[in-house]
Every structure is written in C-alpha cells, then in structure tokens.
Amino acid sequence: MKFIHFCLVTCALFLINQQGFGQIELGNTNVDYAEPRKMKIAGITVLGAEFTDPQAIKLFAGLQVGQELMIPGDEIADAVRKLWTNQLFSDIDIRLAEARGDDAYLVIVVKEMPRLGVFRFDGIKKSEADNLREKMKIRTGNVANENLKATAINVIREYYLEKGFYNAQVSIKEKPYDNLPNSVELTFDIERGNRIKIEEIEWVGVSQFKTAKLNWAMKNTKSVAWWRVFKSSKFIDEEYEEDKVAIVNKYNKEGFRNMRILKDSVYRISPERLKVRIEVEEGNKFYFRNISFIGNTKYRSSSLDSVLNIKKGDVFNMEVLQTRINMNQNGRDIASLYSDDGYLNFYAYPVESLVPPDSIDIEIRMGEGKQYRLGTVSVSGNDKTNDHVIYREIRTLPGDLFNRSDLMRTQRELNALGYFDPEGFDVRTNPRPDEGLVDLEYVVAEKPSDQIELSGGWGGGRVVGTLGLSFNNFSMRNFFKKEAWSPLPTGDGQRLSIRAMSNGTFFQSYSLSFVEPWLGGKKPNSLMVSVTHTVQSNGQKKYINDDELNPARQSLQVTGASVIFGQRLQKPDDWFSVQTGISYQHFNLSNYASFFSFKDGYSNNLAANFTLARTSISDNIYPTWGSQITLTTKCTLPYTFIGEKFMGKSYDYEAMSQQDKVDWLEYYKMKFTAKWYTPLNKHKTNKLVLHTHVGFGFLGTYNKKLGSSPFERFYLGGVYLSGFMLDGREIVNLRGYDDLSLTMPSDRVGAPVISKYGAELRYPISLNPQATIFALAFAEAGRTWTDFTDYNPFNLYKSAGAGLRIFLPMFGLLGFDYGWRLDDLPNYPNMARGQFHFSIGMNMGEL
C-alpha cells in the first residue's frame, strides 16, 4: 500500500511540473485552482531535505495534519514566507500532490542552502586569522546563507576598526567544497589598508584649562606624537564616548558643574588621518558655601562637619562630597562613623541649593535608623578549610555592635591566608529588625594554595636543581588518620614545606619546616620549626675500601635547626607582630678551602633572633595600599667577653688560628626595612601603585681584637639565583649590574654594612588569582661598605629599568626585568650597560 501511495505522489509531482497549478486530475478527483475550495490536510510529505529534520520543516511552515485551509489560499503563501524567514533554503515550493474529496495531501519541496565546509582568510597574518576565528564563532556545518556571510563581514570590519584600520575591505569568494555534500568553501579576502590615526584634537571654547590637560584626561583618544609609545592614536568610537564623559568629570571636579559639550565631530583630513573637534561650554566655577545636616541625633553637626572636612569657599566637587559622606578609601567618612557604631541602615544624601552667582549650599539629609548587634556569624563555601581556621580570623563576634570596619578587616585577614579566591568573597547580611540583630554569613571560595617549586640555578660553578613542595593548608593532627589523606590531610591552616636541592654528587641540601599559625588554637601565636642539612664536596667518595677515609675527598657539612615563636600584638595597634627564636648551625670542614677562610675544622653559630614588624598591606601578591616595616636583630653570646670577665680566661688573639676564632661565632646583626604602597588612581579598577622601599643592614662585633665575623655578611649586585647560602650570607639584588659585583672584590667574605633604596611604579595586567600579572618600572640604588666609618647613604650605585611579574599559585612569583646601570665600576670595565634578569620567589634578593 505504501508503495502504491509513493507511486501516486510521484506521478502527481510529474503532472504538476508539467501542468503547473492548473487543473489536476488524480483518480476521480478534479481540483479547479481558479475556484479556491476549503480542504483539510490529510498528509504532508517533505522532499529535498538532507540535513534539516522534516518535522522541523513542517513546524517552521506552520502546517499540520487536520488543519483546514483554502486551496489555493493565503495559508499556503504564509507557510512559504515562514520557511523563507529561516534562511535555510534556496528554493521552496508547496504543492498539492493528491486530493481525495475534501482531503488534501501536500508536498513541501525544498532545496537546502549549502552548508559551510571550510572557511579561510587571505591577505592577513596567521595570528590575525586565529583571532578572527574566535570572534566570528562560525563552524563547519553552519548554513552558508547571506546572514552568515554578512555577520562574518561585520565581525571582520569591527575587528579592524578597533585596530584603527578604517579602510579595511572584505570580499568573499565561494566555491563548492568537494569533501562534503552540498557544502561550500568560503574565502574571506581581506585588505586592511593603512591604519588611520588621529592627527589633531581641536578644542573650541576652552579657557579655564590648558588643552594639554584635557588631552591627558582623555585616556584612550590620543593624537599622533613621536614620543607616544605606550598608547596608540587610533580612533575607537566607544572609547571616544567614554573620554568625553571623562572630560565632563574633569570640569565638574574643578567646580564647573554646568559644563557641557555643545557638539563634536570626527572627520578625515587625509586618507590616513582624522581630526577630532570638540566644542564646549564651560560655564561658571562654583564654590561650597553653607553645609547643614538634617536628621542627625547621634552626633552633633559640628562633629559631622569635622568628618566632612569641607570649608566654606572650597571649590565645589560633588565627587569629593559623596566620598566624604560614603565609602572613603581611608575610612574617614560619615557613613563609616555610623556603620562602625551599629547603624546598619544609615543613609545620607546631599541636596544642592544654588546661590547666585557662583555658590552652592548643601543640605545633607540623613536617616540614622536603629543600632544593630550581631546575631549569628557563619561561614560557607569552605569545602577544605576547617571552620575554626576561619573563625579565629573573624573580628565580628555575636553580641557586638555591627561594625563595618571590623567586617572589612575580617575580609582582609581571610584574604591574607591565601586559601580563598578574593573575587569569591562575599558577606551576606540578614537583618532582624524586631530583635535589633543582624546575622552575618561570610562566603568564601577555596582556591589552590599549595605550591610546587621546580627550578634551576647556578652555584658553585655548576647547575643546581631544586624541587620544593609547600603545603599551605596542612593538618598535622590528621596526619595519622587514613581517611584524611585525600591526597593530603588539609584544613587546619598549618604550613609544611619540604625542599631538596642538588647538582649530583657535588652538592645536596635538604630542608623541612613546619608552621603552626595558632599555637594552642586560642590566640594568634605562631610556632615555626625547621631543620636543614647540606653536604658539599668535590665529588669524591667518603670511604675507600669500605672503611678507610678517602684522603682525596674535600667536603663541607652544615646541619642546622631553628625554633621561632611569633605573637600578634594589640598595641600600638593590631597590625604589629613580634617574633623571637633561636637558631643553630654546625659547620664541619674537611680539607675544604674554596669557601671559608680555613679548610679543616668546625664552627658553631648559635644565635637569638628578634623581629618587630608592622604589616598593613592590602594583599600579599599585588598590594594596592599599606606598609610593611620590619626591625630585625640577630645576635650570639659574647663568648670571649664572658670568658675573660666571668671565667678568668685569657686569649692570645694574635696567635689564635682562624678556626679557633670561629669555633663559636660572635656577632650581632641588625636590619631595618620599610615598604610603602600608594595607589595613584584610587577610583580606578586597575590601580596604578607606587611601591617605595628602603633598607639598611649592619653586622657588628663585640670584640674588635677577634675581628668581624666572616659569616652572616651582605652581598650586592644583579639578581643572584643560587639557592644555597651556606654561611648565612644575604645576597641582595640590584638590577642592571652583574651578580655580586657591587660587593668589594677584595673582600670575598662579603661586607658588614649595606643600604638600598628604590621605587617601583606598578600596573596590573591581570588580577586573576590563578594568574596575577603586573608590569613595573623601577629605579633603585644601593651599596655595601667594609666599615661603618665609611658609610655614606648618598654615595650609591644606581640603576633603572622595567619588568614583569607573573604569579602562578603552583609556582609562586616569577620575575623578568631589564635593568640599566647608571654608574661605572672600575673593577668591571667590560660589564654590559644593560642586562636582563630572571628571578623566582616572593622576597628573594630583598634586604
């Protein structure tokens, strides 16, 4: 039966093709197309659809079995129009294949548009083609209709418009694609032409500013200049509109509240140049007159006026006024005054009153609301970190008055842990007005905090490989619980670091450290324990014939340990912390003369350590504000003084060997460092930051007859990547110079005095926690001295340059710098004037 029906339909199609829409005779049914008649659709057949679902075609057409319609009639014409709107077909025909009484059997005959087999670009570079592929978002198999082609051309033109190519031409070549049926190959032929730039920006009606200042205020729209390196002169309409708003804001900040741009135009003055013309109406300059407060009962108007700190006669600036009322960066605003005292729903807004000709009165209308205390304080989102690790950093406690400053400080403390994504932080408030309570929920998002260090450096004349693992959210109490290993016991905020270094049989070094930041779990008192062991030799075996010492072996063994106790202080403020500890190193030399001033013997370095620091930086990776000031002392006992003064011993210092002098080291060491971070564009998302720093170090001796310690000295110059400093030496970087070149060459044991100053201008490229990148320009200076009497803080070696920092959570901070030295060194006449430097680590090379 199906076969008979198919034959009938085929014959009907043949007859229709031969006779058109005239009179069709099928069986005993005659249909006169000159006289429409109402019929019911009894069946619909789709022909010609290879890629498109036939049911979808019926749906697009709006025809269905059982539907009554006039044949011929508007319903059929509407169905054809609906199919055309989908732009899937190049030919569409709806035909009556058979009529049985009032039942109509329709056939929808379509010719599908060709599909896209492949597309290519001609006339451009591969990198540009790759960028366009991402932007165009067309794929093999898409219908190659006119809409696809027009959209692709628009995307290409927009891409080149953003790059300043206003004359870019795009044409499409189309040919069949043999590898796929009914497919085409499209080739986009692109002629970019020359880049069109802004020749001039003309200002009309400007009298209150120099035009150079207005040009500077336009951050993205710049005219051509030979000295303009970091900003192009291309014209982008969207950025131009933003720059016009910036111009209005600049006038408003200087009191010109009624300034407006009357008209502007952009036109070509040559095939490759544009001219921008902006006509402004500046208006009068306005000043603050009287400022009054309405609605304040908690604080007197005089107190609020002192916080506002705007005087009669000051230039009118609405942005300053709003900042002093709400959300000042340094916290000195009226809203902070109230919100730090429990007034959760406080609001204030200014109302202006014009006093001709050039003054404005301000009335600040406020609603204080009621005081709220904290109800429940909860944490969510910490899938790995245990609750108590977070709660001990929280400064907002149940029962306390709501305090916005404490809330913001809590966010900073949680961010400083390094376990959470800063962009994932959120604080949800749930007020309960009837009870006068507000519930807080701190929302965090875990991020990878562990680090793996895999690096290579140069030391001892050989390549040194380093493998280090740092587990920054470790849990020692779960160490012996099998179920906690997934893959490691985590969540208690402890830090476990394991590090190994080697260059084969010549050098091996192993270290293990553990940090408990909250010893006892109740107060922020930290405990750090570390052990190290290092062996350096000439590569010879220790024994020959199993039990006989090898006389050809030269070796140095260093074994050390330290214990440090840290405490967070409350006075003068809670940014202060103090660390005290003790460290010990034992040096054992066997026929080893290449590093120390003696080759056989031993030395002991037992020292007490004390550090007082104040740290208030906003972030560990890219601080935008705050400071870090540190005073460090390290000292041993004055053994010879104790022996002579209290034990009746006498020492023949002239006859004393070098090994005897360092049997138990005697010294005291002091360092002072300070770093400041200052945002230069506070109201921008990407903050330009000025980082300034100073440092001073001094190594002293108790006994001048014994001489200064050959250990714990300072070395300066270059960016030294060697990972091992066996004698406690501190290697300080100074970019632009060769490694260690700024320490006196005649003094191979380093210098006892050092100073270093510097400034960096930092700009963030990416603040993504998974890949923080920022560029910098630097200027720095430093020097070492062999005696404090020669110390001159102004006679320094100087350098300048630029660099890039990339922070990856698994590898730490990577640095790339180019330094240009500004001073010559007589002992290094062949030193390059400028050189590249590579660094690894957060504070490596810092004083």
Side-chain angles (χ1 to χ4, degrees):
M1 187 66 187
K2 292 182 178 179
F3 178 75
I4 295 174
H5 180 69
F6 175 77
C7 292
L8 290 173
V9 171
T10 303
C11 293
L13 289 174
F14 177 77
L15 291 172
I16 290 171
N17 284 329
Q18 299 298 320
Q19 300 177 19
F21 279 102
Q23 193 175 37
I24 302 175
E25 182 177 331
L26 287 175
N28 298 321
T29 302
N30 292 325
V31 178
D32 187 356
Y33 287 93
E35 297 182 5
R37 56 181 289 193
K38 191 172 187 179
M39 304 184 73
K40 182 173 70 174
I41 300 176
I44 303 174
T45 302
V46 177
L47 299 178
E50 297 182 21
F51 299 97
T52 311
D53 185 1
Q55 296 301 321
I57 295 176
K58 297 176 186 178
L59 182 64
F60 295 154
L63 301 176
Q64 57 184 348
V65 175
Q67 177 181 349
E68 292 185 349
L69 73 169
M70 299 298 293
I71 296 180
D74 293 338
E75 292 91 341
I76 297 296
D78 288 342
V80 173
R81 280 193 293 269
K82 290 177 182 178
L83 291 174
W84 276 118
T85 59
N86 288 279
Q87 298 187 6
L88 298 175
F89 312 106
S90 60
D91 192 15
I92 302 169
D93 199 0
I94 299 179
R95 303 169 179 175
L96 176 64
E98 183 180 2
R100 298 179 183 175
D102 291 336
D103 292 340
Y105 293 88
L106 301 181
V107 175
I108 302 176
V109 182
V110 297
K111 182 179 180 181
E112 291 181 313
M113 294 282 290
R115 300 279 169 157
L116 180 62
V118 68
F119 66 97
R120 297 184 173 88
F121 299 94
D122 278 349
I124 60 175
K125 299 177 182 178
K126 182 180 182 301
S127 59
E128 294 179 351
D130 292 340
N131 292 335
L132 285 172
R133 289 179 190 277
E134 292 182 8
K135 289 180 174 293
M136 290 170 66
K137 297 180 180 179
I138 59 176
R139 301 288 182 269
T140 298
N142 291 156
V143 178
N145 53 27
E146 294 304 316
N147 181 60
L148 179 142
K149 298 174 186 176
T151 301
I153 290 175
N154 288 336
V155 170
I156 294 171
R157 285 177 176 168
E158 287 294 328
Y159 175 80
Y160 284 105
L161 277 175
E162 291 180 1
K163 295 182 175 297
F165 295 95
Y166 280 73
N167 296 323
Q169 299 294 322
V170 185
S171 61
I172 299 179
K173 298 176 183 177
E174 181 178 330
K175 67 178 183 179
Y177 184 61
D178 298 334
N179 294 340
L180 291 173
N182 194 32
S183 297
V184 296
E185 175 184 323
L186 298 181
T187 300
F188 297 94
D189 193 359
I190 302 172
E191 294 183 11
R192 297 187 314 174
N194 294 323
R195 193 190 303 268
I196 296 183
K197 297 183 178 182
I198 301 171
E199 178 68 24
E200 179 187 357
I201 300 176
E202 180 185 1
W203 297 93
V204 180
V206 174
S207 61
Q208 300 296 328
F209 292 96
K210 292 182 178 179
T211 57
K213 288 189 175 182
L214 297 180
N215 291 336
W216 178 261
M218 300 178 74
K219 300 301 181 183
N220 298 301
T221 307
K222 302 291 185 181
S223 60
V224 174
W226 64 266
W227 44 264
R228 200 180 306 285
V229 177
F230 298 104
K231 195 67 183 178
S232 64
S233 301
K234 60 187 179 183
F235 180 86
I236 299 174
D237 189 66
E238 183 178 345
E239 293 181 348
Y240 174 60
E241 294 298 323
E242 295 175 356
D243 283 338
K244 288 195 295 183
V245 174
I247 292 299
V248 175
N249 290 339
K250 181 172 181 60
Y251 269 93
N252 292 163
K253 289 178 183 179
E254 298 297 331
F256 297 91
R257 65 187 297 273
N258 295 331
M259 178 270 178
R260 61 188 181 129
I261 296 177
L262 294 177
K263 59 183 178 181
D264 65 285
S265 57
V266 180
Y267 54 92
R268 291 192 184 185
I269 58 176
S270 71
E272 298 180 7
R273 289 291 187 267
L274 295 174
K275 183 175 181 178
V276 178
R277 187 178 187 274
I278 303 174
E279 184 175 345
V280 305
E281 183 181 76
E282 295 178 323
N284 293 332
K285 188 172 186 177
F286 287 85
Y287 302 87
F288 285 107
R289 199 178 74 152
N290 298 323
I291 299 178
S292 59
F293 300 88
I294 294 180
N296 55 308
T297 59
K298 174 69 176 178
Y299 298 101
R300 295 179 179 179
S301 295
S302 58
S303 299
L304 298 178
D305 197 47
S306 65
V307 174
L308 200 63
N309 195 27
I310 295 177
K311 307 301 181 183
K312 184 176 181 179
D314 286 353
V315 173
F316 179 79
N317 188 329
M318 179 55 74
E319 182 177 329
V320 169
L321 179 64
Q322 292 285 7
T323 301
R324 303 283 174 83
I325 296 175
N326 296 290
M327 302 302 292
N328 195 348
Q329 287 286 338
N330 58 21
R332 187 67 175 170
D333 59 79
I334 294 175
S336 296
L337 188 67
Y338 277 90
S339 61
D340 287 350
D341 199 22
Y343 291 91
L344 177 66
N345 296 326
F346 170 82
Y347 67 89
Y349 61 92
V351 177
E352 302 178 28
S353 297
L354 179 63
V355 180
D358 60 0
S359 296
I360 295 177
D361 286 344
I362 300 294
E363 183 180 82
I364 300 178
R365 300 176 181 177
M366 302 187 302
E368 295 178 334
K370 62 188 299 184
Q371 276 186 315
Y372 280 81
R373 291 190 176 272
L374 297 179
T376 60
V377 179
S378 60
V379 177
S380 63
N382 52 316
D383 301 325
K384 184 170 66 172
T385 305
N386 294 325
D387 287 346
H388 72 271
V389 175
I390 301 176
Y391 281 121
R392 67 195 185 191
E393 301 291 345
I394 291 177
R395 296 169 178 265
T396 52
L397 303 178
D400 290 350
L401 282 172
F402 175 82
N403 188 305
R404 191 186 73 176
S405 294
D406 285 345
L407 188 148
M408 296 175 66
R409 178 70 182 274
T410 296
Q411 284 188 290
R412 288 197 295 269
E413 296 293 342
L414 293 177
N415 182 38
L417 292 175
Y419 311 148
F420 309 113
D421 183 353
E423 296 183 357
F425 275 123
D426 190 18
V427 181
R428 297 171 182 169
T429 59
N430 181 28
R432 292 184 273 163
D434 295 339
E435 304 173 67
L437 298 176
V438 56
D439 299 330
L440 295 183
E441 180 186 5
Y442 290 95
V443 181
V444 298
E446 301 269 9
K447 72 172 185 178
S449 58
D450 298 333
Q451 292 182 341
I452 180 171
E453 178 188 359
L454 183 61
S455 62
W458 183 262
R462 297 177 179 85
V463 176
V464 181
T466 301
L467 176 63
L469 299 174
S470 295
F471 307 107
N472 297 319
N473 196 1
F474 195 71
S475 177
M476 183 60 73
R477 65 187 176 93
N478 293 321
F479 189 83
F480 297 102
K481 295 180 181 179
K482 183 178 179 181
E483 62 275 11
W485 287 75
S486 59
L488 291 168
T490 59
D492 279 346
Q494 299 162 341
R495 179 186 176 98
L496 178 67
S497 298
I498 305 170
R499 200 163 184 258
M501 304 169 58
S502 179
N503 65 1
T505 59
F506 297 93
F507 171 77
Q508 302 91 40
S509 179
Y510 311 94
S511 63
L512 174 68
S513 66
F514 174 78
V515 179
E516 168 56 77
W518 281 70
L519 184 63
K522 295 183 179 180
K523 293 184 178 181
N525 299 328
S526 63
L527 177 68
M528 184 176 74
V529 180
S530 64
V531 294
T532 61
H533 181 69
T534 300
V535 178
Q536 186 166 344
S537 71
N538 60 354
Q540 295 288 329
K541 294 182 178 180
K542 186 174 183 179
Y543 296 98
I544 56 176
N545 301 325
D546 295 333
D547 56 354
E548 183 180 350
L549 289 174
N550 185 354
R553 178 179 171 82
Q554 301 173 354
S555 66
L556 163 67
Q557 295 187 37
V558 183
T559 302
S562 66
V563 178
I564 299 175
F565 177 77
Q567 185 177 10
R568 188 183 300 171
L569 303 179
Q570 298 299 319
K571 294 181 180 180
D573 59 42
D574 56 6
W575 297 109
F576 277 86
S577 64
V578 63
Q579 287 185 342
T580 56
I582 188 170
S583 62
Y584 173 75
Q585 282 183 302
H586 177 75
F587 300 86
N588 191 345
L589 287 76
S590 176
N591 194 27
Y592 192 88
S594 62
F595 199 78
F596 295 91
S597 55
F598 61 97
K599 66 177 184 178
D600 284 293
Y602 58 87
S603 180
N604 298 280
N605 186 359
L606 177 64
N609 303 272
F610 175 82
T611 300
L612 177 64
R614 186 184 187 277
T615 303
S616 61
I617 58 176
S618 60
D619 184 73
N620 290 329
I621 307 302
Y622 188 79
T624 56
W625 58 266
S627 61
Q628 192 171 16
I629 302 172
T630 305
L631 175 64
T632 303
T633 62
K634 184 178 182 180
C635 59
T636 66
L637 290 172
Y639 299 106
T640 54
F641 175 79
I642 294 174
E644 292 176 335
K645 190 72 174 179
F646 301 103
M647 301 177 65
K649 292 185 178 181
S650 62
Y651 300 95
D652 186 355
Y653 295 103
E654 294 184 359
M656 189 179 293
S657 67
Q658 184 64 29
Q659 199 278 318
D660 291 334
K661 290 182 179 180
V662 297
D663 185 4
W664 286 91
L665 293 175
E666 295 185 30
Y667 63 87
Y668 62 91
K669 185 178 184 180
M670 295 184 295
K671 291 196 304 178
F672 173 79
T673 60
K675 302 176 182 179
W676 296 273
Y677 301 90
T678 306
L680 300 183
N681 51 347
K682 295 182 179 180
H683 305 293
K684 299 292 185 179
T685 302
N686 287 344
K687 292 185 177 179
L688 185 68
V689 176
L690 177 64
H691 165 47
T692 53
H693 56 91
V694 299
F696 170 79
F698 174 70
L699 178 67
T701 180
Y702 304 112
N703 191 334
K704 292 185 179 180
K705 295 180 180 179
L706 193 63
S708 180
S709 169
F711 293 71
E712 301 286 341
R713 293 199 167 205
F714 301 103
Y715 296 75
L716 179 66
V719 176
Y720 196 63
L721 280 180
S722 176
F724 58 99
M725 281 70 78
L726 300 178
D727 56 351
R729 64 180 58 189
E730 294 192 41
I731 298 180
V732 181
N733 295 340
L734 190 66
R735 292 162 286 189
Y737 294 87
D738 289 350
D739 293 348
L740 311 182
S741 60
L742 300 181
T743 302
M744 292 295 291
S746 60
D747 189 1
R748 67 187 184 91
V749 293
V753 185
I754 188 172
S755 271
K756 182 184 175 183
Y757 320 105
E760 288 184 353
L761 194 61
R762 298 178 171 185
Y763 182 79
I765 298 173
S766 168
L767 294 178
N768 187 331
Q770 303 304 317
T772 302
I773 306 172
F774 60 91
L776 59 90
F778 67 87
E780 57 188 7
R783 194 178 184 121
T784 61
W785 294 266
T786 56
D787 194 287
F788 188 73
T789 57
D790 299 325
Y791 177 69
N792 183 349
F794 303 105
N795 184 16
L796 307 172
Y797 293 106
K798 301 171 289 295
S799 68
L804 187 72
R805 295 292 181 272
I806 302 174
F807 176 80
L808 302 174
M810 288 298 292
F811 296 96
L813 189 67
L814 307 178
F816 306 88
D817 296 288
Y818 182 81
W820 185 267
R821 63 180 177 88
L822 303 178
D823 295 293
D824 294 325
L825 279 71
N827 295 316
Y828 296 91
N830 297 322
M831 183 188 300
R833 177 63 67 177
Q835 51 187 293
F836 285 98
H837 300 286
F838 172 69
S839 60
I840 304 176
M842 191 71 66
N843 296 309
M844 180 176 287
E846 297 294 329
L847 185 60

